Amino acid sequence: MAEPGARIIAIANQKGGVGKTTTAINLGAGLAEHGLKVLLVDLDPQGNASTGLGIERDDRPVTTYDLLAGDADLAAATRPTSFANLSIVPATTDLSSADIDLINNEKRMRLLRGALRTDSPYDIILIDCPPALSLLTLNALVAADALLVPLQAEFYALEGLSQLMLTVRELRAGPNPDLRIAGVVLTMVDRRNNLASQVEEDARENLGDLVFDTVIPRNVRLSEAPSFARPVLDYDTNSTGAFAYRALAAELIARNAGKEG
């Protein structure tokens, strides 16, 4: 657990298009529905999580870049959203230059850790990472208590995990010995597709209990919700996507309770 304050979970996979941002937004909303105070930190220069939660691009005066650079504290960088108990630290394309701008900082891998591990009102902080094992993602993993990996149900899905898991082992041996794997969640699953079923079978065989029981289906409502700047739990509360992310939130809470018990 983060000391003091929130439990910090990085949502990462260096492969793009696997549902990281969708998971960050909707898992955050699912946890918030349980009454937890949730903060989503948008660490992707694309800023899609910020847009998906209704923060317009010209309305982000303080961002995660300012947090990393030490120009703003967590309270100053945080914005409320229209979803109860869910706040966000927004991102802009300024983050694209972070790897270069911060490279000479001796604490460059610990900048986010210092900014987030403070006394805050949040129960859980989720970090939406960019699709690369960059300095930004390394900052997230050094700051985090745990890593949650969205894994798209497609061919070669498991192959992309090897470098990420190697990075986790290296960080455990260095700057973040307490980092653990919160779990792997299968995303974009189409039960009508034999390949998706095979990928799920392979993932469970190779990763065992690391794979969440909950799977996230392909669902048109999940795709539509960001264009309305709302989590799917709010956009279409009875959709299969909404039910899936509620189930994932409940399973994550149960797993955490089990580890603390």
Side-chain angles (χ1 to χ4, degrees):
M1 297 292 290
E3 294 182 4
R7 177 168 187 75
I8 304 173
I9 300 175
I11 300 175
N13 186 330
Q14 73 269 31
K15 190 177 185 303
V18 299
K20 285 189 300 296
T21 298
T22 298
T23 295
I25 290 173
N26 292 294
L27 175 60
L31 293 168
E33 280 192 343
H34 280 268
L36 298 173
K37 293 188 180 302
V38 181
L39 175 66
L40 174 53
V41 176
D42 190 348
L43 202 62
D44 189 337
Q46 297 177 86
N48 289 336
S50 306
T51 303
L53 284 174
I55 311 299
E56 298 293 337
R57 292 189 179 274
D58 59 357
D59 190 25
R60 304 175 194 178
V62 184
T63 69
T64 44
Y65 185 93
D66 299 298
L67 205 59
L68 288 166
D71 295 332
D73 63 15
L74 188 60
T78 299
R79 298 287 302 277
T81 74
S82 61
F83 200 89
N85 293 325
L86 179 59
S87 301
I88 188 168
V89 178
T92 64
T93 54
D94 288 352
L95 276 178
S96 299
S97 64
D99 281 21
I100 297 172
D101 295 346
L102 303 174
I103 194 65
N104 292 322
N105 190 315
E106 292 182 357
K107 298 180 180 180
R108 57 186 174 274
M109 288 178 59
R110 296 176 176 269
L111 297 173
L112 191 61
R113 183 184 180 96
L116 297 184
R117 287 183 175 255
T118 60
D119 190 10
S120 76
Y122 304 104
D123 299 303
I124 293 182
I125 296 175
L126 302 177
I127 308 173
D128 184 27
C129 297
L133 287 176
S134 61
L135 181 57
L136 292 173
T137 300
L138 291 176
N139 260 270
L141 294 176
V142 171
D145 299 293
L147 165 66
L148 189 150
V149 184
L151 187 71
Q152 186 177 358
E154 66 170 15
F155 198 55
Y156 294 138
L158 290 175
E159 289 191 3
L161 282 181
S162 58
Q163 185 59 47
L164 183 59
M165 295 305 182
L166 177 60
T167 300
V168 169
R169 287 197 294 271
E170 291 173 347
L171 292 174
R172 281 175 173 163
N176 191 359
D178 297 323
L179 180 64
R180 68 174 187 83
I181 309 297
V184 174
V185 57
L186 291 163
T187 61
M188 305 181 192
V189 175
D190 185 348
R191 295 292 194 188
R192 301 167 298 179
N193 187 326
N194 289 335
L195 176 59
S197 297
Q198 184 62 54
V199 170
E200 180 176 357
E201 182 179 329
D202 290 346
R204 295 192 187 283
E205 180 178 337
N206 285 279
L207 301 172
D209 291 342
L210 281 180
V211 182
F212 284 95
D213 293 333
T214 304
V215 301
I216 308 302
R218 283 195 178 276
N219 176 240
V220 67
R221 296 305 194 191
L222 280 173
S223 301
E224 291 174 350
S227 64
F228 291 88
R230 294 155 66 188
V232 73
L233 282 74
D234 183 41
Y235 172 65
D236 188 345
T237 190
N238 293 317
S239 64
T240 58
F243 282 122
Y245 275 109
R246 285 193 180 97
L248 180 63
E251 188 174 354
L252 180 64
I253 290 170
R255 284 191 177 203
N256 287 340
K259 290 183 180 297
E260 292 170 4

